[in-house]
Amino acid sequence: QRRVTWGKRKKSNAEKHPNKMLLSRSVCLLPVVVLFVAAILNVPVVDGKDSNTYTNPVDAVSDMGDPSVLADPNGVDFYLISSSLNRPDRYTIRHSTDLVNWEVKGAVFPEGSPQMPSWPVKDFWAAEMHFVDGKYIVYYPARDNTSLHCLGAAYSTSPLGPYTDLGRPLLRDVSVGLIDPHHFWDPVSQKHLLYFKGDYNAKVPPQQSIIWVQELAADGLSLVGERTPVLHSEWSKLISEQFIVEAPWMIYENNMYYLFYSTPGVNLPIYSVHVARSSSPFGPFEKAPKAVLHTRGWPINPRFWGPGHCSVLRVRAQDGEERLYIFASSWEAWKISLKNYPRLLVIDRVQLDSNGWLTVDNGNNCPSETLRLAPLAPLSSTSEVIRHQQTDFTYL
C-alpha cells in the first residue's frame, strides 16, 4: 500500500541551486556554441580554439629563448630554433604551418649523435637557421676548449637534418668572444652578410659592445674580406644600454635597412628590442628614439618582462596580404631568471609610423596581451573588433 507523506515537498538539486545548474548546462553547451558560430563565420576551429586568432604567449610552457624563425622556400612550412644553453640536445627544432602552433621535430645536434661537433664545449647560445645556396645552414655560437665564444656553422639538405658541422669555427677572434650570428641576404647588392656581436661587455672591466658585419661567400660557409663595425653601445646611453647592444636582425623595407637589436641584458626586466636605420647595410645607423618592444608599464603589474632577442619575418596570409611580424622571447612577470622558468614566445605585427620608424602592435610597442589576428589568417575570417585593432598604422 502506497504511503502518503503530508508536508513540504523536498526540493530537487536544480531547484536548490538554479544558477549552478544553469552554469553546468552552459559549460556543456559551450563546445556546440563554438562550433556553431565558427560554421557561420567560416572560421576553422582547432581544439576548441579559433585558429585565426591567438593570444600571447603562443605557448605558455615551452622555453623558446632567442627565437629564430625561418620561412621554408616551399611556402608552406616554418621552422624555429632557440637557445639550448647546455641542454643535451643542441638547438631544438620546432615546426609550424601557421606560426602560432609549434611542434618539436628534433634537434640540430641531438645528444649522442655523430653530428655533434667536436670543437664546441659549452654555452650554445642564440643560433639561427637560414636557407642559403640550396641548403639549410645553422649559424651558432659556442665556447671552444679555451672558453672563448666562437661562431660555428652546420649545413643540411633538410631543415630537420642531419646537419654536418664545418668541424671548426667559422669565425674566431682571440681578443673577444663572438655571439648572436645573423645571416642577411641583401636584395640590393645580392650579397650574403653575417652580423654578429663582439661581446666586449663581458670583459673585466666591461667595454662597449659592438655589432659587426662580415660578408660571406655565396655558399654561406666561408668569409669574404674584412668585417666592419655597424653599431655599438654608447656612453650617453650608459644607463639604458649598460654597454650592451646585441641580437642583430636585419630587414630591408621601403628602400631602407632596419637593424633590430636588443639591450641592455637578457636577465633584466628592462631588456627590450630597439631598431636602427640606414640607407646602407654597412651603416652608419641612426638609432630610433625609443624601444619597439619593451615591458609594459614596468614595474606596475606587467604581464611580460624583458621581451627581446627577436626575429622579424614577412609572411603572406591566406588572402594574399603580406604582413611583417616580430617573434621575440619574454619572461613572465616575477619569474625572470628563476630556475626552470622558460622564456616564452610572443609575436606581434610590425607597422611603419609617420616618421618612417618601425613600430609594434599599432604603436603599443609591448607584447600584446589580448586577442590578435593570426599571422596567416585572412582579414575576412575574424571579427570587426580585431580587424580594426590592426589598421591604425601603415602596414609593411
Side-chain angles (χ1 to χ4, degrees):
Q1 186 177 12
R2 181 181 178 185
R3 181 179 179 182
V4 178
T5 303
W6 300 96
K8 185 180 291 187
R9 181 176 62 87
K10 185 177 181 181
K11 291 184 178 181
S12 67
N13 286 334
E15 292 173 308
K16 286 182 180 179
H17 309 287
N19 293 333
K20 182 176 180 181
M21 296 300 293
L22 180 61
L23 177 62
S24 175
R25 291 169 183 170
S26 300
V27 170
C28 292
L29 288 174
L30 185 58
V32 178
V33 173
V34 169
L35 292 173
F36 177 72
V37 173
I40 293 176
L41 297 177
N42 194 28
V43 174
V45 174
V46 179
D47 294 334
K49 296 186 292 185
D50 171 6
S51 64
N52 284 317
T53 60
Y54 74 93
T55 304
N56 282 322
V58 297
D59 185 326
V61 177
S62 302
D63 186 0
M64 299 191 203
D66 313 324
S68 166
V69 180
L70 168 69
D72 194 275
N74 66 16
V76 176
D77 300 299
F78 300 91
Y79 297 92
L80 182 152
I81 61 173
S82 54
S83 289
S84 61
L85 304 178
N86 291 312
R87 299 187 187 98
D89 286 334
R90 312 300 194 191
Y91 302 120
T92 298
I93 302 173
R94 290 179 169 86
H95 169 261
S96 176
T97 56
D98 60 11
L99 293 168
V100 174
N101 300 286
W102 295 92
E103 181 182 1
V104 174
K105 288 293 187 179
V108 176
F109 302 129
E111 181 184 17
S113 72
Q115 287 77 41
M116 186 72 73
S118 59
W119 71 264
V121 176
K122 61 180 181 179
D123 292 346
F124 290 73
W125 292 358
E128 291 186 3
M129 179 190 294
H130 293 274
F131 186 74
V132 182
D133 192 34
K135 58 186 173 298
Y136 299 87
I137 301 179
V138 172
Y139 299 97
Y140 68 94
R143 296 189 192 273
D144 63 11
N145 56 13
T146 70
S147 199
L148 182 68
H149 248 128
C150 309
L151 301 183
Y155 56 93
S156 174
T157 56
S158 164
L160 301 180
Y163 281 87
T164 301
D165 190 73
L166 286 180
R168 53 172 175 76
L170 172 66
L171 195 54
R172 187 178 190 273
D173 187 330
V174 295
S175 65
V176 65
L178 306 176
I179 62 172
D180 296 348
H182 166 62
H183 171 276
F184 172 68
W185 182 79
D186 180 15
V188 178
S189 67
Q190 308 284 299
K191 292 181 177 180
H192 294 273
L193 303 175
L194 186 69
Y195 293 81
F196 53 93
K197 175 194 177 186
D199 207 18
Y200 289 98
N201 59 279
K203 288 180 170 290
V204 180
Q207 302 173 23
Q208 292 173 295
S209 57
I210 299 175
I211 292 177
W212 303 82
V213 61
Q214 167 79 60
E215 184 180 348
L216 294 169
D219 65 359
L221 295 173
S222 54
L223 309 178
V224 175
E226 300 295 326
R227 66 190 183 195
T228 302
V230 295
L231 199 73
H232 59 83
S233 59
E234 302 175 38
W235 284 105
S236 61
K237 299 178 182 292
L238 181 59
I239 295 177
S240 60
E241 291 185 345
Q242 300 179 28
F243 298 105
I244 299 173
V245 290
E246 62 183 22
W249 186 283
M250 179 74 81
I251 64 171
Y252 181 71
E253 296 286 344
N254 287 0
N255 300 316
M256 187 70 68
Y257 294 90
Y258 291 94
L259 178 62
F260 290 82
Y261 65 97
S262 295
T263 187
V266 66
N267 294 326
L268 297 174
I270 59 173
Y271 193 56
S272 51
V273 178
H274 297 249
V275 69
R277 65 186 178 188
S278 174
S279 59
S280 166
F282 298 95
F285 281 89
E286 173 193 8
K287 293 180 180 178
K290 60 181 181 180
V292 296
L293 193 66
H294 61 87
T295 302
R296 183 191 307 277
W298 183 83
I300 305 173
N301 196 33
R303 171 74 171 86
F304 301 106
W305 277 14
H309 203 125
C310 71
S311 54
V312 181
L313 192 65
R314 174 171 288 283
V315 300
R316 184 182 295 275
Q318 297 167 11
D319 55 8
E321 182 189 40
E322 290 197 358
R323 304 171 188 163
L324 200 63
Y325 273 83
I326 187 171
F327 302 78
S329 53
S330 180
W331 302 92
E332 282 194 283
W334 306 108
K335 297 179 180 179
I336 193 165
S337 296
L338 295 180
K339 186 177 181 181
N340 297 328
Y341 281 102
R343 282 185 290 163
L344 305 175
L345 179 64
V346 294
I347 65 177
D348 278 296
R349 193 163 180 183
V350 178
Q351 297 96 6
L352 188 71
D353 69 15
S354 58
N355 296 314
W357 285 110
L358 299 178
T359 186
V360 171
D361 192 41
N362 290 345
N364 291 318
N365 293 335
C366 302
S368 62
E369 301 176 20
T370 56
L371 208 61
R372 289 293 185 272
L373 182 70
L376 304 185
L379 284 174
S380 60
S381 68
T382 189
S383 71
E384 291 291 329
V385 174
I386 297 176
R387 194 180 311 174
H388 291 316
Q389 280 179 344
Q390 311 223 3
T391 55
D392 297 336
F393 284 76
T394 302
Y395 280 166
L396 294 175

